[in-house]
Amino acid sequence: MEYKTAAMVDVQNSDLASQQAGATLPDPTTVELAATEPGGYRVIRRNGKVTAFDPEKITVAVTKAFLAVEGQNAAASSRIHENVATITESVVNAITRRMPSGGTIHIEDIQDQVELGLMRAEAHKVARSYVLYREERARERQQSIALETHTAGADTLSVTRKDGVKVPLDEQRLITVVREACADVVDTDPEGVLEEARRSMFDGIAEEDVSKALIMSARTFIEAEPNYTYVAARMLLDAHRQEALSFVHGHEARLTQAEMSAAYPAYFASYVKSAVDLELMDPKLASFDLERLGNALKPERDFQFTYLGLQTLYDRYFIQHNEVRFELPQAFFMRVAMGLAINESETETWAIKFYDLLSSFDFMSSTPTLFNSGTLRPQLSSCYLTTVPDDLDGIFGAMKDNALLSKFAGGLGNDWTPVRGMGPHIKGTNGKSQGVVPFLKVANDTAVGVNQGGKRKGAMCAYLETWHVDIEEFLDLRKNTGDDRRRTHDMNTANWVPDLFMKRVCEDQAWTLFSPDETPDLHDLFGQAFEQRYEEYEAQAARGEIKNFKTMRAVELWRKMLGMLYETGHPWVTFKDACNARSPQQHAGVVHSSNLCTEITLNTSAGGEIAVCNLGSVNLTQHITNGNLDIPKLEHTVSIAMRMLDNVIDYNYYSVPTARASNLRHRPVGLGLMGFQDALYKMKISYGSEEAVEFADVSMEAISYFQIKVYTELAQERGTCANFVGSLGTKGNL
């Protein structure tokens, strides 16, 4: 028996379906899904009409499918009822998973999901009947559609503009945009993208939904062919281009990428003027030679983005006014470059050099630099490191500093070791200390509240030395169980481990925990000096001269550290002695922590110095030519990148004065790399091979050498930084 389910029968055939199914079936073109999300879910029927989508109708249709094939006795079977519920749930889940925030789905897609649900439920007879009938009806419809298409001639869908006016869909522009998006992208089919997009369109569709349909249609192919990510990105770019051009020119503008190539310079000048007038950009940028800079833009580089990359830029990085993003990708890179060149004597020349480096993806500045360069608050530095003092004014002063630094997208690394542990007497109140954990909870909530200016989550990491008496509670901060008032679910944590602890672990010896109010100098000692003083404190504790301490097996604490690392990913394990022994600034202080991402180590002091890191990354993938590392190109990239990073220090907006003083005194920059695995892939080298290790050594040594060389040249041009004398560099130790 062949069953014609409600999800597959046309209106004119519903009576026939009822006869074959032995029951009256619902009209398939009214299958609806009740919208529970903003925007809702809608079904496009074969005649183009749009209705809401109701899962209850799927339940009815699937139930009657079983009745038609297995007979009326099936109604009494609990197994059948369970299958119906499972199939309905699978169909609804498939639709909501694909479009989590609502949207339109074609009736054929619903049928596909019902078919899959039947087969997964092992209802093979029902599924077979379902498939055969769909094929028969598809053949009949194909003949009918061909005739209707021939008869309709040039009839097209209409789209609804924002003002409510309906206009014909520009079918030719649609074809041009899709073919342009697929041009030079191997293994992509513009006709397939167009066909998929049309399935989601209907008469009267909102104009902005046409762009969404194109983007979604390209996205559906990414899983099968990753190159469609570039097609989807170009579809997104087309929608963004309309948004940006219409805003800066004050009227609707719909240009293709080919047309945009000639229009970019004029747009760029209007964009800068608009941003300055809206107080979103530094007025100094308007004094640049905008015509020269506009002509230096390379519109073809808009097509380099993957979908996720461009979507991230659109969501977080592009300048916007009232939720309208009017900054196109090449204008974005030029805005960043102009900010970094603002203090150069030849501003346009250097801005173009900086732009070329960024827009080619040879080098990429850090997120704060991309966010804020060229704006009224150019906070370009990546991370700030602080040491929290052991008094209430100092603790909450550090909280305020954290908030101000996080507001403008700075990542935070806090050294909490000086804060006394739980139990010691508080002289000012005649009470007992609650330890460091309650303050860490406040710091955690500060990062949540001041979420980098509303652009992304606040980012903070707390460091504590392994001898601190609160270390065991510190290990539990990221657990999902226990007293939530003593948990920090949104903040990273890291152990600051001295070598002596690891030595005690290896030798299975005892380890003593102290409160820093009784052992204050341990915080500033490392190496042999730390070991000697630590053992003296242990002797004092044994004599009863130190009251607040705890002794335990070092191995036991190490196991707890590793256990929490496996369970929660925190606290990270970082090494105090290794960082200080290699610090080039040993003459100027002690390294008490790393930063949020643990890639830098700089000196800090309680209430006196906030260390700053200024970061950027060389894209190693872009420096592989003919299967080898392109050393001359790498030198060119590093030479310009280092100048950009050095410019950050002087141009940077400092929300905390002590951070400015520290950054100008030490002038630290971090030039890292990205794309290492991709570079190995291009060179056909296995990641786990000896060749990969050798390539890592050669490539990083080259970057380091060129970095030192360029900084030497910058020192000759701009002078030596205040704290260079006495550093390891002056002793020839690089």
Side-chain angles (χ1 to χ4, degrees), residues 39 69 82 138 157 209 218 269 301 344 349 362 376 524 531 537 585 588 594 635 651 727-728:
V69 175
E82 290 176 3
L157 298 175
D209 287 345
R301 291 183 176 176
E344 295 279 2
T349 299
D362 288 350
L376 298 180
D524 288 325
E531 183 171 346
Y537 280 129
Q585 300 290 323
S594 184
E635 181 175 12
Y651 175 51
S727 66
L728 293 184

Side-chain angles (χ1 to χ4, degrees), residues 1 47 65 76 278 298 327 353 357 359 472 493 547 552 687:
M1 178 185 295
N47 62 4
L278 291 169
K298 298 181 178 177
E327 184 174 62
K353 289 182 179 180
L357 208 63
S359 63
E472 291 179 281
T493 57
K547 304 298 182 183
M552 61 191 306
Y687 189 88

Side-chain angles (χ1 to χ4, degrees), residues 66-92:
F66 279 98
L67 289 174
V69 175
E70 301 192 12
Q72 295 296 329
N73 291 334
S77 171
S78 61
R79 177 183 60 82
I80 298 300
H81 288 300
E82 290 176 3
N83 280 341
V84 169
T86 301
I87 293 167
T88 302
E89 183 180 4
S90 70
V91 174
V92 175

Side-chain angles (χ1 to χ4, degrees), residues 286-349:
S287 65
F288 281 59
D289 186 343
L290 299 182
E291 182 179 0
R292 180 183 175 189
L293 296 181
N295 289 327
L297 298 177
K298 298 181 178 177
E300 66 275 9
R301 291 183 176 176
D302 280 352
F303 274 8
Q304 295 180 126
F305 292 98
T306 63
Y307 173 73
L308 182 59
L310 187 59
Q311 185 70 62
T312 302
L313 284 180
Y314 181 86
D315 291 339
R316 296 184 180 180
Y317 290 80
F318 291 154
I319 288 178
Q320 56 93 13
H321 177 68
N322 291 337
E323 298 299 321
V324 177
R325 274 76 170 174
F326 61 94
E327 184 174 62
L328 290 174
Q330 300 312 306
F332 159 72
F333 286 129
M334 185 59 84
R335 185 253 300 170
V336 175
M338 291 165 72
L340 292 172
I342 205 166
N343 293 325
E344 295 279 2
S345 57
E346 300 176 13
T347 51
E348 287 82 8
T349 299

Side-chain angles (χ1 to χ4, degrees), residues 452-516:
Q452 300 199 34
K455 293 184 176 180
R456 60 176 183 172
K457 290 182 179 181
M460 180 186 297
C461 184
Y463 286 78
L464 198 71
E465 291 201 40
T466 315
W467 52 263
H468 196 288
V469 73
D470 286 349
I471 190 66
E472 291 179 281
E473 274 204 285
F474 182 77
L475 299 180
D476 293 339
L477 284 173
R478 291 296 297 261
K479 290 182 69 173
N480 291 321
T481 57
D483 186 352
D484 207 55
R485 292 170 298 180
R486 305 184 78 81
R487 297 290 180 266
T488 58
H489 302 298
D490 306 281
M491 183 174 69
N492 299 305
T493 57
N495 288 295
W496 195 237
V497 183
D499 284 351
L500 180 60
F501 173 73
M502 299 308 301
K503 180 180 177 181
R504 296 279 180 93
V505 170
C506 291
E507 297 174 354
D508 195 12
Q509 294 183 352
W511 182 251
T512 308
L513 306 179
F514 296 106
S515 180

Side-chain angles (χ1 to χ4, degrees), residues 242-536:
Q242 295 177 45
E243 179 183 10
L245 293 176
S246 300
F247 181 87
V248 300
H249 293 316
H251 58 81
E252 185 176 357
R254 298 164 58 83
L255 301 181
T256 64
Q257 182 69 12
E259 295 167 335
M260 189 64 199
S261 296
Y264 234 124
Y267 151 77
F268 180 73
S270 300
Y271 144 79
V272 173
K273 183 180 184 303
S274 298
V276 170
D277 290 345
L278 291 169
E279 298 183 344
L280 298 171
M281 186 182 288
D282 191 332
K284 293 180 183 177
L285 269 60
S287 65
F288 281 59
D289 186 343
L290 299 182
E291 182 179 0
R292 180 183 175 189
L293 296 181
N295 289 327
L297 298 177
K298 298 181 178 177
E300 66 275 9
R301 291 183 176 176
D302 280 352
F303 274 8
Q304 295 180 126
F305 292 98
T306 63
Y307 173 73
L308 182 59
L310 187 59
Q311 185 70 62
T312 302
L313 284 180
Y314 181 86
D315 291 339
R316 296 184 180 180
Y317 290 80
F318 291 154
I319 288 178
Q320 56 93 13
H321 177 68
N322 291 337
E323 298 299 321
V324 177
R325 274 76 170 174
F326 61 94
E327 184 174 62
L328 290 174
Q330 300 312 306
F332 159 72
F333 286 129
M334 185 59 84
R335 185 253 300 170
V336 175
M338 291 165 72
L340 292 172
I342 205 166
N343 293 325
E344 295 279 2
S345 57
E346 300 176 13
T347 51
E348 287 82 8
T349 299
W350 282 108
I352 292 171
K353 289 182 179 180
F354 296 163
Y355 161 80
D356 280 336
L357 208 63
L358 292 169
S359 63
S360 64
F361 299 168
D362 288 350
F363 167 82
M364 195 56 61
S365 296
S366 64
T367 287
T369 302
L370 300 177
F371 274 162
N372 300 321
S373 183
T375 66
L376 298 180
R377 294 288 185 273
Q379 195 299 107
L380 314 185
S381 296
S382 300
C383 292
Y384 295 84
L385 286 70
T386 66
T387 290
V388 182
D390 185 32
D391 62 81
L392 209 56
D393 284 343
I395 291 171
F396 282 93
M399 301 282 191
K400 179 183 177 182
D401 290 345
N402 280 347
L404 291 171
L405 295 168
S406 180
K407 177 180 179 180
F408 297 101
L412 304 168
N414 295 155
D415 159 34
W416 286 89
T417 300
V419 179
R420 73 191 68 184
M422 182 181 292
H425 180 259
I426 303 174
K427 185 176 180 181
T429 62
N430 200 30
K432 287 188 175 182
S433 168
Q434 293 301 302
V436 71
V437 170
F439 296 116
L440 291 173
K441 176 65 172 175
V442 178
N444 175 88
D445 295 342
T446 300
V448 174
V450 188
N451 59 343
Q452 300 199 34
K455 293 184 176 180
R456 60 176 183 172
K457 290 182 179 181
M460 180 186 297
C461 184
Y463 286 78
L464 198 71
E465 291 201 40
T466 315
W467 52 263
H468 196 288
V469 73
D470 286 349
I471 190 66
E472 291 179 281
E473 274 204 285
F474 182 77
L475 299 180
D476 293 339
L477 284 173
R478 291 296 297 261
K479 290 182 69 173
N480 291 321
T481 57
D483 186 352
D484 207 55
R485 292 170 298 180
R486 305 184 78 81
R487 297 290 180 266
T488 58
H489 302 298
D490 306 281
M491 183 174 69
N492 299 305
T493 57
N495 288 295
W496 195 237
V497 183
D499 284 351
L500 180 60
F501 173 73
M502 299 308 301
K503 180 180 177 181
R504 296 279 180 93
V505 170
C506 291
E507 297 174 354
D508 195 12
Q509 294 183 352
W511 182 251
T512 308
L513 306 179
F514 296 106
S515 180
D517 60 309
E518 294 184 294
T519 59
D521 52 342
L522 287 181
H523 182 241
D524 288 325
L525 298 175
F526 66 92
Q528 190 60 40
F530 173 88
E531 183 171 346
Q532 180 178 340
R533 188 60 172 147
Y534 182 86
E535 290 174 350
E536 290 175 3

